[in-house]
Amino acid sequence: MWQSSPPGSIYDYIRVASFSIGPDGLIEQWSSRAAGLFGMSSTEAVGRDPVEAFMPAELRSDGHRRVGEILDGKEWTGLVPFRMPGEGGAHGLAEVYVMPSLTGRGERAALCIVVDVRALRRIETDLAASQAIFGQSPFGFVLFGTDFAVVRANQRFATVFGGAAEDHRGRTVEDYLPRAEADRLSATLKRVLETGESVTDLQLVGPAPGGTQRRHWSMNLYRVHSGAGRPVGVAGLATDVTRRHIAAREAASARRNLALLNEASARIGNSLDLETTARELLDVAVPGFCDLAAVDLYQGLLTGEEAAPGSWAPAHRESAGGSAELRRVAHASAVADALPTAVAGGGPPGPDDLPPALGSVHRFPFGSACAVALRSGRVEDVPGDEMGFVQSTLAVPMVAHDTVVGLVQFSRTKGSEPFGERDRGLATELAARAAVCIDNARLYRREHERALILQRSLLPPGDPEAAGLDIACRYLPGNTATEVGGDWFDVIELPGHRTALVVGDVMGRGLRAAVAMGELRTAVRTLALLDLEPAEVLSALDEVARGLGSPSGGERSEGLGGSGGAQWPSRAAQKSREADLSEVYLATCVYAVYDPVTRRCTFANAGHLPPAVVEPGRPARLIEVPPGMPLGVGGEPFEEVEVELSENALLTLYTDGLVESRDQPLDEGLAALRAVLTGPQMELEDACDHVLSTLDTQHGEDDIALLMARIQGLPAEAVGDWTLPREPRSVGRARELARGQLLAWDLDDLVDTTELLVSELVTNALRYGEGEIRLRLLRDRTLVCEVWDAGLVQPRRRRARDTDEGGRGLQLVGLLSAAWGSRRTPRGKTVWFELALPDGAPAAELSVEQLLSMY
């Protein structure tokens, strides 16, 4: 079938021309391509001698000879230089193929075919370069035809997909890729062929033909045209980027792991609770690292037992039966209705092996991967269940400071990527971070419990009781982490049914302040039992505080030195330590002594806030007690103020945390306190809660101690008070008065003992005392008898010798009374004893040993 050669055919590139020579050696026919090649039209060329027209002068003689030979019937092929006609014609080189021919009359002629050598050389160079690029490229080149079958592929492409380059001719994309990827590539080829738009970095995934390894390719596709611009196919440049993908995946995994560790640092350990810390670990790990996870901690750790060095699972607790006891404290799942699998043995779990419930105590079988991980401290791979949905599990021991505190299991379900070596390292790091936080929580809990024991031991147990007082108290530590602080209150029973009320505040916070508070509170109790006046108690307490704030051996550290001696702290370091200690033991305190008989209260203040009192029907007021210097400062005396309180009055002692904060000045806080106390009268416990809930205490900034006491004086009928002259008959009169008062109180069982002891005390007052004698009986929770005189000599109990006729009276008082003692008064002294009220049981008789002890 005849058809015309389209523009841009091969003949246009190689520049082929033809002309004929007649029998006379002149040009007889001249083609259009010859006109284009030589730059001469047919009119100019026909009838001319080709040798004379085109060949240089020096070659013309040889040229005429060649033409003659050709006309004689000889073929010739060769390279012929030529020049364009005209003086400025260009020179060229043509490859001429001359074939003898015959005219219609039988004359010899010649047909000449001319090819421009320059065009041939250019085409050869282009073909060679194209072949080199196509064949020697390290990338896979492939050319798809318009039917999307492979037209040509280079050897690199064949190396990847197998066979020789020629073997790929005629194949389609379905021969190389899985169905889904092949369809995607086919659609892309069609779009490129139709639109002419190139596609770069088309990502394709699949195994190479005949292989199973997952490969990644990147393809660049572009449409290929003929010289005339007609699309002839789509060329593709394929690059194997599997390693790049692996590297990118590893880099992404590393970034993800770093982000996960960063998140773990921020989220794990925010709480000092063991279970909360375990849940924080799982919140980070699921689903960012795994699909399922569970945390088991040793039961001994949770119950507060001390561990053997290096492990919370001492060897004697493990046996062939399994690991030490653990408790499931947390589990998490990114899969609906799925709990982490607990491996029961060394192999996959059986159908009856259910995961431990949250909070349950269990053991791992001795040979299981989990038990091995706990014993060795190394990560173990737990076999998966082929019939289940868990693909792989890591059993990771939680190790902190060389101590195994528990186990965490990370699991990935089928469909997720299995754990790799990098994942093992990350799992170990996550478990280690959580283990350190759990160990810190354990240590905190231990110290916290010790601090609470200390704090509770330093505060009055339960609800304090006192004669003539209803008491309620509250203590709120500012340090909520340890629940200990430096504020304290105390209620101390004194002889004569009197009560000492104390509120103090050690400067500083935390356990150290609590220890200082405990030492000062002990000193207050010791001084109170000496029955000193409030100002004297604070003066002595100030000396104690200054002694506590001065490190022992300070003078020695300044005077010793030189070679060969001990290395003592520098003077600057010693001063720094002294300043630090002095700050800790600086304290404020209010000390008050209440007498229920007179309803009078004596106050002394060491730099503390003034007490507040509310009397019935009147607004609250602050008792003006001269504020002395804080304890530990020294150098200034303390003053006393005595105040008579009304019946049912409410006395309030407190620390500055109740009325002062960063956002509230002290004056505003005191005004708010007075306003709250002035409110309607309510039960004492409710009043305490009302004060704390109403005032803006900004709790957490400082400790708060609150002591409230409702004044309930002893009724007149509960007091017997007499004055006796200084004469011998007063002893008998004292017995009569005591007998009559006890009978009036229906305390018949105490009459004999009271008469005997009153007789002894009055006799001693007559013998060793001065001035008038005063006898007072008080009945409240106990019976108290007091004998007053103006003498300053305190009675002293001694052991009488066998030959002594006296000296056994105080021994008798000590044996028969519940307690006895003496105290100074402004006008002398008071000797007292106390008897328990009868409860219906017969009175205990003195043993033989007790009686003999007096002799």
Side-chain angles (χ1 to χ4, degrees):
M1 180 177 180
W2 295 93
Q3 67 179 20
S4 61
S5 176
S9 66
I10 186 63
Y11 301 105
D12 291 332
Y13 289 102
I14 63 176
R15 301 186 70 182
V16 178
S18 64
F19 64 91
S20 63
I21 301 174
D24 55 358
L26 301 178
I27 297 174
E28 188 177 60
Q29 293 179 339
W30 190 255
S31 67
S32 298
R33 288 186 177 271
L37 177 62
F38 295 104
M40 183 180 294
S41 66
S42 175
T43 304
E44 296 175 320
V46 174
R48 296 189 63 177
D49 185 346
V51 176
E52 296 292 335
F54 303 110
M55 297 187 68
E58 64 275 11
L59 298 177
R60 288 174 184 172
S61 59
D62 186 61
H64 285 299
R65 183 177 60 82
R66 294 288 186 185
V67 171
E69 292 177 355
I70 292 170
L71 294 177
D72 288 338
K74 184 179 180 181
E75 291 186 358
W76 180 80
T77 301
L79 296 176
V80 178
F82 68 91
R83 63 178 178 82
M84 300 298 181
E87 296 181 357
H91 292 267
L93 184 65
E95 185 175 24
V96 181
Y97 179 39
V98 183
M99 297 171 289
S101 64
L102 296 174
T103 67
R105 297 189 295 271
E107 298 176 321
R108 294 182 181 274
L111 177 62
C112 300
I113 297 177
V114 183
V115 179
D116 189 346
V117 174
R118 292 176 302 176
L120 286 177
R121 297 292 182 266
R122 187 165 56 248
I123 291 174
E124 290 175 353
T125 301
D126 291 345
L127 288 175
S130 176
Q131 182 62 31
I133 294 174
F134 194 82
Q136 301 174 20
S137 171
F139 308 107
F141 273 110
V142 62
L143 178 62
F144 296 96
T146 55
D147 59 351
F148 307 125
V150 176
V151 175
R152 187 179 181 189
N154 68 350
Q155 187 57 43
R156 177 60 183 167
F157 185 87
T159 301
V160 174
F161 292 100
E166 291 298 322
D167 297 338
H168 293 272
R169 189 182 301 272
R171 291 184 179 179
T172 61
V173 293
E174 285 80 5
D175 297 321
Y176 301 102
L177 296 172
R179 179 63 179 270
E181 292 291 272
D183 292 344
R184 192 162 63 92
L185 179 56
S186 296
T188 305
L189 290 172
K190 182 178 180 181
R191 186 174 69 252
V192 171
L193 184 64
E194 291 176 351
T195 64
E197 296 179 357
S198 302
V199 173
T200 59
D201 198 23
L202 175 65
Q203 298 293 316
L204 300 172
V205 181
T212 58
Q213 184 180 3
R214 186 182 179 92
R215 310 292 294 178
H216 294 262
W217 293 281
S218 171
M219 288 199 72
N220 296 328
L221 302 173
Y222 57 93
R223 189 169 68 183
V224 180
H225 306 83
S226 66
R230 179 174 57 86
V232 296
V234 177
L237 173 63
T239 306
D240 190 338
V241 293
T242 304
R243 292 184 179 179
R244 185 198 307 170
H245 270 265
I246 293 175
R249 186 170 65 247
E250 290 180 351
S253 176
R255 288 192 299 269
R256 184 180 67 252
N257 292 351
L258 288 175
L260 200 63
L261 289 176
N262 184 58
E263 183 182 6
S265 300
R267 297 180 60 183
I268 299 176
N270 293 322
S271 169
L272 288 174
D273 179 74
L274 297 174
E275 290 81 357
T276 302
T277 302
R279 288 194 297 270
E280 290 170 346
L281 168 62
L282 300 192
D283 290 341
V284 172
V286 179
F289 176 68
C290 62
D291 302 315
L292 309 169
V295 176
D296 299 288
L297 298 180
Y298 278 119
Q299 179 70 357
L301 180 146
L302 295 169
T303 56
E305 299 178 19
E306 293 294 334
S311 176
W312 273 99
H316 68 276
R317 297 186 180 180
E318 295 199 26
S319 64
S323 65
E325 289 186 342
L326 299 103
R327 186 192 303 174
R328 177 64 53 87
V329 296
H331 57 211
S333 172
V335 182
D337 301 328
L339 295 180
T341 301
V343 177
D352 297 330
D353 293 329
L354 297 176
L358 186 64
S360 65
V361 178
H362 64 95
R363 294 175 182 266
F364 288 114
F366 186 83
S368 66
C370 293
V372 173
L374 288 169
R375 288 196 302 271
S376 65
R378 295 189 300 269
V379 181
E380 294 290 331
D381 292 308
V382 179
D385 183 4
E386 295 182 0
M387 302 302 294
F389 61 91
V390 174
Q391 177 176 238
S392 61
T393 298
L394 295 178
V396 187
M398 305 178 72
V399 183
H401 312 299
D402 297 328
T403 298
V404 178
V405 299
L407 183 83
V408 57
Q409 296 180 74
F410 300 110
S411 300
R412 288 181 178 173
T413 58
K414 293 179 179 179
S416 299
E417 186 176 353
F419 291 113
E421 193 60 33
R422 189 188 300 272
D423 294 322
R424 292 169 65 91
L426 178 61
T428 302
E429 181 65 21
L430 287 174
R433 294 194 180 197
V436 170
C437 295
I438 287 175
D439 195 50
N440 290 340
R442 175 186 67 84
L443 295 175
Y444 158 75
R445 186 178 64 181
R446 185 182 66 184
E447 297 303 320
H448 175 66
E449 291 174 352
R450 293 176 179 177
L452 284 179
I453 293 173
L454 171 63
Q455 182 74 56
R456 291 163 183 164
S457 68
L458 297 178
L459 295 176
D463 295 326
E465 295 182 356
L469 291 175
D470 291 335
I471 297 175
C473 49
R474 297 289 186 274
Y475 173 76
L476 299 177
N479 187 347
T480 56
T482 60
E483 296 189 12
V484 295
D487 290 15
W488 90 93
F489 63 88
D490 208 346
V491 178
I492 306 171
E493 293 188 54
L494 299 178
H497 289 315
R498 295 171 305 132
T499 303
L501 304 175
V502 190
V503 169
D505 182 359
V506 175
M507 295 185 183
R509 303 175 70 176
L511 187 59
R512 196 174 185 188
V515 172
M517 175 266 283
E519 293 176 328
L520 292 178
R521 177 179 177 273
T522 301
V524 170
R525 278 190 159 266
T526 302
L527 294 170
L529 293 179
L530 296 177
D531 211 353
L532 302 177
E533 295 298 322
E536 293 177 323
V537 170
L538 292 186
S539 296
L541 191 61
D542 178 60
E543 293 294 331
V544 172
R546 284 198 291 167
L548 294 174
S550 299
S552 61
E555 297 79 9
R556 182 184 180 192
S557 65
E558 294 181 15
L560 292 179
S563 61
Q567 297 296 320
W568 296 92
S570 66
R571 186 176 181 85
Q574 187 70 18
K575 286 184 176 180
S576 175
R577 181 172 179 268
E578 291 177 9
D580 185 42
L581 288 172
S582 298
E583 180 183 1
V584 169
Y585 288 105
L586 202 64
T588 63
C589 180
V590 166
Y591 185 89
V593 175
Y594 171 69
D595 188 342
V597 178
T598 61
R599 293 199 314 274
R600 302 186 69 84
C601 191
T602 304
F603 297 92
N605 190 347
H608 203 81
L609 296 176
V613 64
V614 183
E615 296 179 315
R618 303 182 62 182
R621 62 185 176 89
L622 301 178
I623 300 176
E624 297 182 0
V625 183
M629 299 299 291
L631 302 175
V633 175
E636 294 292 333
F638 298 97
E639 300 182 38
E640 294 180 356
V641 171
E642 189 176 64
V643 178
E644 184 174 350
L645 302 174
S646 303
E647 188 76 10
N648 290 324
L650 181 61
L651 177 65
T652 303
L653 305 179
Y654 53 93
T655 56
D656 58 355
L658 183 68
V659 294
E660 186 178 23
S661 67
R662 294 189 184 95
D663 302 327
Q664 178 175 264
L666 179 59
D667 292 342
E668 294 182 8
L670 292 174
L673 174 62
R674 292 197 300 272
V676 172
L677 294 176
T678 306
Q681 186 172 345
M682 58 183 69
E683 294 294 330
L684 202 55
E685 293 292 335
D686 296 336
C688 266
D689 295 334
H690 178 65
V691 169
L692 292 176
S693 61
T694 304
L695 294 181
D696 184 15
T697 61
Q698 297 291 319
H699 180 53
E701 293 184 5
D702 198 3
D703 307 331
I704 295 176
L706 177 62
L707 177 62
M708 304 182 76
R710 182 86 67 188
I711 303 301
Q712 303 288 342
L714 288 180
E717 60 270 18
V719 179
D721 196 348
W722 306 275
T723 301
L724 302 174
R726 189 174 185 78
E727 55 187 32
R729 64 178 182 175
S730 294
V731 176
R733 177 60 179 163
R735 288 198 300 267
E736 293 176 2
L737 293 172
R739 170 183 287 273
Q741 185 65 68
L742 264 61
L743 292 176
W745 287 341
D746 294 328
L747 298 178
D748 302 27
D749 294 340
L750 299 181
V751 170
D752 294 339
T753 302
T754 303
E755 279 191 297
L756 176 60
L757 298 185
V758 165
S759 177
E760 289 293 335
L761 295 188
V762 173
T763 300
N764 285 343
L766 288 173
R767 181 175 299 176
Y768 304 109
E770 299 177 5
E772 288 184 327
I773 299 172
R774 181 182 177 187
L775 173 64
R776 188 167 75 169
L777 296 178
L778 307 174
R779 187 195 65 182
D780 191 66
R781 291 172 297 157
T782 60
L783 176 67
V784 175
C785 176
E786 297 177 332
V787 176
W788 306 50
D789 69 78
L792 298 178
V793 179
Q794 297 290 323
R796 181 174 62 87
R797 182 177 177 178
R798 63 183 179 88
R799 180 177 294 276
R801 291 173 296 183
D802 294 344
T803 57
D804 290 342
E805 296 182 0
R808 297 177 178 85
L810 291 181
Q811 286 183 273
L812 186 64
V813 173
L815 288 174
L816 296 179
S817 65
W820 78 278
S822 67
R823 68 176 185 275
R824 290 184 299 167
T825 64
R827 298 179 180 178
K829 68 176 181 296
T830 300
V831 183
W832 57 272
F833 67 84
E834 184 175 340
L835 296 176
L837 298 181
D839 56 1
E845 297 182 357
L846 296 178
S847 64
V848 176
E849 290 77 7
Q850 290 175 323
L851 292 173
L852 291 178
S853 66
M854 295 187 294
Y855 298 95

